[in-house]
Amino acid sequence: MQKLLRFLAFTGLAFSIALLGLILRDNYMHSPRTDRLTVEQQQITYELDYLNREMLHYENVLRNVAFNDDHIYRVYFEVEPWSTTLRDAGVGGTNKYAYLMQHEHAELLLRTYLNIEQIERKLVIQSTSFDEVIQMASNKEERLAARPAIQPVGLKDLTRFGSSFGVRFHPILQVVRHHYGIDLTAPRGTNIYATADGTVLQAGYREGGFGKKILLDHGFGYRTLYGHCDEILVDYGTKVKRGEVIARVGSTGLSKSPHLHYEVHVNGRPVDPINYYANDLSAAEYEKMIVMLSDADPSFDIN
């Protein structure tokens, strides 16, 4: 029995000494293999840090591309920029990378994976946006034909401007309200021109103060309205071309004297027609029109 106890004691002592030796070797003694692994680990850590810095650089490049997309290409085609919420949409949660937490450099690895995923998402979003721009460029001629681009009443026939686009004091109701178009004074019977290619959605007398009016749908989000007409020369569903005579100036509806009330709508919102009105004017003609506009009488039209 004593021999057995001495054997067990000797064996335990030998095991303890061996274990202590392994611990000392791993923590305080270096071998060529451990030194090599340490260097390789440091190199990998450096490479990951460098990769993250490069990804930040390319994310800034993508941000500049997105800025040009929103403020140049989409402005050119007159479409709304993509929202910041969509462009900066976050990536998925970090739970799918939970397995990384067991690694010594878990935080660095997690940041690397998330940065890669963020750039991948932004690349997909930007690619989709460019697909839309390419599509818009492919039908550029149709889009340009659909854009209101001439004056609905010839400048030579225009005697004055009435109310311009914007807030004004209503002369009849005695309240401040928004005027969604411009009023162009011309003699009764003056030609009214379609300002872009389109299809007639309404043609005839309508309630609401405009009397006899025409509503054209030009496609690509553009619509134009021509109110207070005396004579309407087109019917519902008619296809019209830019410059085609569609009606004559009149004073139907709530109007004090012959004039055209003209509106431009883009994607359902009224916009200032003056921005779509001077494309075919010379500099001198444009200056003359601006002078007439500055002398506009806000009490002329009572719509």
Side-chain angles (χ1 to χ4, degrees):
M1 185 65 178
Q2 291 181 351
K3 291 182 179 181
L4 178 60
L5 291 175
R6 285 197 297 271
F7 174 78
L8 292 176
F10 176 79
T11 302
L13 179 62
F15 180 77
S16 298
I17 293 174
L19 181 61
L20 179 62
L22 289 173
I23 294 174
L24 290 174
R25 186 197 70 180
D26 290 342
N27 291 277
Y28 301 101
M29 300 176 64
H30 297 281
S31 67
R33 181 174 180 274
T34 56
D35 289 342
R36 186 175 67 253
L37 290 175
T38 300
V39 171
E40 290 178 354
Q41 187 180 58
Q42 291 174 346
Q43 181 65 28
I44 291 174
T45 302
Y46 172 80
E47 294 291 344
L48 286 174
D49 278 328
Y50 177 77
L51 178 62
N52 277 286
R53 290 195 299 272
E54 285 293 289
M55 284 190 287
L56 288 176
H57 167 71
Y58 288 116
E59 189 170 354
N60 287 330
V61 172
L62 274 173
R63 188 175 295 111
N64 290 334
V65 171
F67 180 87
N68 291 338
D69 183 20
D70 285 336
H71 296 86
I72 299 178
Y73 313 135
R74 290 180 171 271
V75 169
Y76 176 77
F77 291 108
E78 296 184 313
V79 294
E80 293 292 329
W82 279 22
S83 67
T84 303
T85 303
L86 177 60
R87 287 194 178 276
D88 293 338
V91 298
T94 59
N95 289 337
K96 62 180 178 180
Y97 298 117
Y99 68 93
L100 296 174
M101 296 300 103
Q102 60 184 325
H103 293 279
E104 180 179 355
H105 301 286
E107 183 179 347
L108 177 59
L109 289 170
L110 178 61
R111 176 157 51 93
T112 303
Y113 276 104
L114 291 178
N115 283 339
I116 292 174
E117 193 171 336
Q118 179 74 8
I119 289 180
E120 286 179 344
R121 181 173 180 82
K122 288 189 174 183
L123 281 172
V124 170
I125 292 173
Q126 188 57 61
S127 176
T128 303
S129 178
F130 277 155
D131 287 342
E132 288 186 4
V133 172
I134 291 172
Q135 178 62 34
M136 288 185 285
S138 66
N139 52 29
K140 179 181 177 180
E141 291 185 4
E142 292 86 351
R143 178 177 290 274
L144 290 177
R147 186 182 191 274
I150 65 172
Q151 60 266 32
V153 174
L155 190 62
K156 62 181 178 60
D157 298 318
L158 185 63
T159 57
R160 61 171 302 188
F161 274 90
S163 298
S164 57
F165 182 88
V167 177
R168 65 167 185 173
F169 185 76
H170 197 289
I172 301 300
L173 300 179
Q174 300 295 300
V175 295
V176 175
R177 61 188 299 180
H178 206 290
H179 188 242
Y180 293 108
I182 56 177
D183 297 329
L184 309 171
T185 309
R188 187 185 303 273
T190 299
N191 288 338
I192 298 173
Y193 303 99
T195 56
D197 295 357
T199 304
V200 179
L201 289 185
Q202 295 179 11
Y205 190 90
R206 293 289 188 279
E207 295 181 355
F210 290 133
K212 292 181 180 180
K213 78 170 185 178
I214 295 175
L215 179 64
L216 298 182
D217 182 8
H218 305 286
F220 300 98
Y222 295 113
R223 287 188 177 184
T224 53
L225 182 149
Y226 311 77
H228 307 303
C229 302
D230 182 65
E231 181 184 6
I232 291 179
L233 306 177
V234 292
D235 298 317
Y236 170 79
T238 302
K239 302 288 185 182
V240 298
K241 290 290 186 181
R242 176 184 289 143
E244 181 177 339
V245 179
I246 57 175
R248 315 283 187 197
V249 171
S251 188
T252 57
L254 295 177
S255 172
K256 291 181 177 180
S257 60
H259 73 286
L260 169 67
H261 174 84
Y262 175 62
E263 294 184 8
V264 175
H265 295 246
V266 180
N267 295 321
R269 293 184 298 129
V271 297
D272 192 344
I274 205 69
N275 297 326
Y276 298 84
Y277 183 71
N279 294 38
D280 60 343
L281 299 180
S282 66
E285 290 173 330
Y286 181 75
E287 184 177 357
K288 176 183 177 182
M289 184 187 67
I290 294 300
V291 171
M292 295 176 69
L293 183 60
S294 65
D295 295 333
D297 180 3
S299 66
F300 177 75
D301 181 20
I302 63 174
N303 282 318

